[in-house]
Amino acid sequence: MPKRSVAYLLKIITPGAACLFLALFLAQGGRLAAQDDEPRGEERPGMTETMRRMLEDKLPPENREAMSATLCVGGMAGPYPCNNVDLLAFIPLATFGASSGNDSWGWTDPLDGKEYALMGLNNGTGFVDISDPENPIYLGKLPTHTSSSSWRDIKVYNNHAFIVSEAGGHGMQVFDLTELRSVPLPPVTFSETAHYPAFGNAHNLAINEDSGYAYAIGSNTCSGGLHMINIQNPTNPTNAGCFSADGYTHDTQCVNYAGPDPNHQGKEICFNSNEDTVTIVDVTNKAAPVQLSRTPYAGSGYTHQGWLTEDHVYFLMDDELDEQSFGHNTRTRVFDASDLDAPTLVGFYDAAVPSIDHNLYTLGDYVFEANYRSGLRILDITDVATANLSEVGYFDIYPLNDNPSFNGAWSNYPYFASGVVIISGIEQGLFMVQPALSPDFRMNTTDPVLSVCGNGNDSTTLDLTPRNGYTGTVTLSAGGLPAGATPSFTPNPVTPPDSSTLDVTVSGVTAGQYPFMVLATDSALTHTLDLDLFVSTGAPGAPTLVAPADGATNVSLTPDYEWTAATQGQSYELEVATDAAFTTIVYTATVAGISHTPPTALDPLTTYYWRVRASNECGPGANSAVFDFTTEDVPPILLVDDDDNSPDVRATYTAALDALGLEYDIWDTANSDNEPSVALMSPYTAIIWFSGDEFGGFAGPGATAEADLATWLDNGNCLFISSQDYHYDRGL
């Protein structure tokens, strides 16, 4: 947000010195810091052993930057170890304004097929439009119903999200997902559509979408067993019954049973992970559920979660404490559930790494596992009858190690029709990845724009990479080119790994920009790549400058430069100087669009001159007219208001500054991670950052601001942070 562009930013001018204030402030006994609350813990009676161990392993959020699409090449996708899984995008926790992540689920809009990721956070639920998974859009957050918690669980039914948490008094939130169809100016703060208060905390939630019933488990009701809820009318959930005969249930999958057991076909059956057993319950009659079997197994540490194969014959299960308790590697157990009254353990698969397993989901011939420090692991289960599973892909979101600790990947969701899989990271954020589990190939180019002046040609290189053992031959073609533009590929067809040169020859094509597409085809496999052809017939005209206006004063130190498009302009060179003759140029940039905001700040109270020149393949055009502007004055101190206004403690700081006669600006984060950038901070010699009673993700600088502050401090500046909750949120 540009400085002073909204009402949050105020300016007060008084005389003074920044670091003198800091010294005096600290000398006064830290009265402002005392306004922060004591750190909030999550220990409470009734916690399971896995929950206690997770709190012991809790780490602060990782300061990671957002990432765009990155292919898995040579076992790495950027910093992440991988195999047969490409990164599409990554959204860090800082974007969500949260200090930790947990569960994840997905929703596909039945109207248009758009896909959305639902991300569990310590302080609410985040919603992300992933219909273009390489350019996800964070739409906003539904805040927690009561307090923050490390545990939150989400499921979907009939275009509504249902959310539970270990937070005291939370109950079940209901949110109408159709609100995501039109979100102006995201991200926004959503409100719950309905609320079910018949329990307080709950560890988990399952939904049988075929019956319209939800099952809250690990709640403070039903002895922690199945708390059954009729959600057929999503905004009016009603209590349907309890199953408590086998005590606490940590997770469950409930289905309309279609497996081979003739005695139970067509009934509604829940497959419960009950701490030390797999317990199967017939819940067809919610008023009188029937336990069909209770199956212990050797080597149990904590029966955590499992999922049926699609034919309802086998139940794959992960035990959350066996790796720590017995020292073996990540273990996936396979139960034969063809007789629901007497399931049997077929065997188990041990991975090559020792990480703890957490949530797994089956899809066709694969099981997708979120295994904490070893990330997403994908196993082939075609030989599930003998528990002979094999790993075919992985994406490790915790590259440091694969130790058996409670950090890294919490969950995954593999059921989008697009094949996109989302991974929720505890300390990281949300990953969108694309597995290549069957033989396939990828096509890419580093130069997506071909430029021609008049009649001529330009070329680009197309790189084709095999995936998962692909050995076929790919035929290339182009579509969407204008008449007079002729493509050729050399070689064609191509056998990956290899590259082909695309050459486009132009004759008699009108000047303009022409989007077109390259198609790569091998039998049923087809991939496309979007490119642009830019044709010029002469040098471009001169653009007209728009902002900052000629002669403008009090201009931001990081101005938003704007100009009109030039005739046949393809790129634009911006120059900023301290003299009208441009002998001393202080900033220059070449951009494709007609606006630009520089990443570095100008000097205060200084007159600058700027101009823009367009270019294309035929050459540069004439310079625009020259505009001048004068920058604003900037005091030495920036006061960052980062509290939640309950109470509002800003006046305590401004009163102290005023009493000392110091100059300062105020930046209000508006109870979010809308924080000053390094460019905005650069003119100030001191920053005072307070968070008051803020807690749960927004207290103090976020990941991006932390990195910016490090750069700013390296220049010899002074920083004072009054926020014990900032330290607590980050595990310090």
Side-chain angles (χ1 to χ4, degrees), residues 235-291:
T235 59
N236 185 32
T238 57
N239 195 331
C242 264
F243 173 77
S244 58
D246 195 35
Y248 184 94
T249 296
H250 193 82
D251 206 335
T252 189
Q253 183 189 14
C254 299
V255 300
N256 287 357
Y257 180 70
D261 189 334
N263 297 322
H264 303 289
Q265 289 172 347
K267 298 179 180 179
E268 188 168 9
I269 308 294
C270 290
F271 294 76
N272 300 339
S273 296
N274 271 32
E275 299 192 290
D276 58 358
T277 64
V278 174
T279 300
I280 302 177
V281 181
D282 182 344
V283 294
T284 307
N285 182 351
K286 306 297 183 294
V290 178
Q291 180 172 301

Side-chain angles (χ1 to χ4, degrees), residues 175 306 416 470 559:
F175 176 68
F416 291 116
Y470 175 81

Side-chain angles (χ1 to χ4, degrees), residues 59-77:
L59 294 173
E62 298 177 2
N63 294 328
R64 300 190 182 185
E65 296 296 328
M67 283 186 65
S68 56
T70 307
L71 293 177
C72 179
V73 178
M76 298 293 291

Side-chain angles (χ1 to χ4, degrees), residues 504-518:
V504 176
T505 301
V506 169
S507 177
V509 177
T510 303
Q513 184 173 1
Y514 300 92
F516 70 102
M517 180 183 297
V518 172

